[in-house]
Amino acid sequence: MEAQAFLRSFGRVRGKTLSPRKQRLMDELLPKLAVPKALPAGTPIALEVGFGGGEHLVAMAKARPEMLCIGAEPFENGVAKLLCAIEEQGIANIRIHMGDARTLIAALPDASVQHVYLLFPDPWPKTKHLKRRILNHDFLALIARIQPPGGILQLATDHADYAVWMLEHLQHSTHYVWQAQDKRDWEDPPTIWAETKYQRKTTAEGRVPMFFRCLRRD
Ligand SMILES: C[S@@+](CC[C@H](N)C(=O)[O-])C[C@H]1O[C@@H](n2cnc3c(N)ncnc32)[C@H](O)[C@@H]1O
């Protein structure tokens, strides 16, 4: 894939040294799970941007075995954690792009991805870092191209400030419309859901998650 030209939206890409088992999975299993150059025709596709440790991606893949669930994440230890779950649970419908999701998205065919998930993106709270937030108008345009009309973009955040930012971008988006009737729509997680390590930690700190389900306009 071509070198990225995106402003970096993620933090570290490497944590503690991988265990021998995780290193083996990175060497042997990860290459087998590369995103195929041609997506299988007739198979519904979901993409999770920044899957962290992969808890939600695993729950989705298990709940929707007919769907191909693609995850993109640059953090090596998160990818290794997901590989362990895939091996332990014998999951066959996950594909992984270890790197910037935007590079992958730019290479995917038009209207090919029914569901896009962006769950708890890095909040970059400092004013000088706001430009690093992955959700911006360029990102919405990037994913709009790969989603068919009626495609779903599922967002989540536990930063009040990022929630406002998301809604402001959606309000001005020609590509997406936020679907919300009443407050349960942003208080309740989607039907298929798995609380991640990240979500557990921030909930314990008193932060409240918000969920925004959006539709790709016609
Ligand atoms: C706060 S964590 C949340 C992880 C996970 N979604 C969860 O809910 O537990 C944000 C994640 O997004 C990833 N990330 C940030 N920018 C990204 C990008 N451009 N492409 C793919 N992943 C990205 C980070 O590496 C990090 O793992």
Side-chain angles (χ1 to χ4, degrees):
M1 229 156 258
E2 304 216 336
Q4 56 175 276
F6 302 105
L7 186 65
R8 187 165 163 145
S9 60
F10 42 87
R12 62 191 181 146
V13 294
R14 209 152 285 129
K16 62 178 185 186
T17 308
L18 298 179
S19 65
R21 177 191 174 204
K22 285 184 171 164
Q23 191 57 58
R24 172 184 61 79
L25 290 170
M26 293 292 278
D27 295 340
E28 295 173 9
L29 183 56
L30 182 60
K32 294 183 187 147
L33 300 182
V35 180
K37 288 227 158 32
L39 296 177
T43 302
I45 311 278
L47 168 67
E48 185 167 339
V49 175
F51 59 73
E55 298 96 325
H56 173 267
L57 194 61
V58 164
M60 184 165 60
K62 286 166 72 175
R64 299 284 309 271
E66 80 291 0
M67 191 152 83
L68 188 68
C69 301
I70 300 174
E73 172 60 60
F75 184 50
E76 188 183 65
N77 303 65
V79 172
K81 186 175 169 192
L82 171 62
L83 291 173
C84 289
I86 291 173
E87 184 183 59
E88 278 157 20
Q89 300 177 51
I91 300 168
N93 56 332
I94 290 181
R95 297 293 176 272
I96 302 173
H97 169 76
M98 190 167 86
D100 194 318
R102 295 166 294 186
T103 314
L104 170 70
I105 293 166
L108 291 175
D110 290 359
S112 56
V113 178
Q114 285 75 21
H115 301 264
V116 174
Y117 292 82
L118 177 65
L119 308 175
F120 305 106
D122 294 296
W124 296 107
K126 291 184 185 159
T127 307
K128 67 174 179 182
H129 288 148
L130 290 178
K131 58 183 181 295
R132 295 196 179 276
R133 287 183 170 173
I134 191 166
L135 190 140
N136 55 33
H137 287 301
D138 288 347
F139 179 75
L140 290 177
L142 197 69
I143 55 170
R145 186 190 59 80
I146 63 161
Q147 292 212 272
I152 292 163
L153 166 64
Q154 178 67 56
L155 304 172
T157 184
D158 54 13
H159 276 251
D161 191 67
Y162 207 164
V164 172
W165 168 284
M166 285 175 172
L167 294 178
E168 280 173 356
H169 278 78
L170 289 167
Q171 203 179 4
H172 295 107
S173 170
T174 50
H175 303 295
Y176 288 96
V177 58
W178 177 35
Q179 281 203 306
Q181 309 280 326
D182 64 56
K183 69 189 181 86
R184 275 173 310 173
D185 289 323
W186 64 85
E187 286 180 352
D188 295 346
T191 332
I192 299 169
W193 188 250
E195 211 181 45
T196 64
K197 186 174 156 196
Y198 172 84
Q199 192 189 348
R200 269 195 300 283
K201 182 167 163 278
T202 62
T203 303
E205 287 166 5
R207 295 226 289 269
V208 180
M210 281 160 281
F211 306 92
F212 305 133
R213 182 184 152 98
C214 315
L215 273 198
R216 172 79 170 89
R217 294 176 192 270
D218 289 345

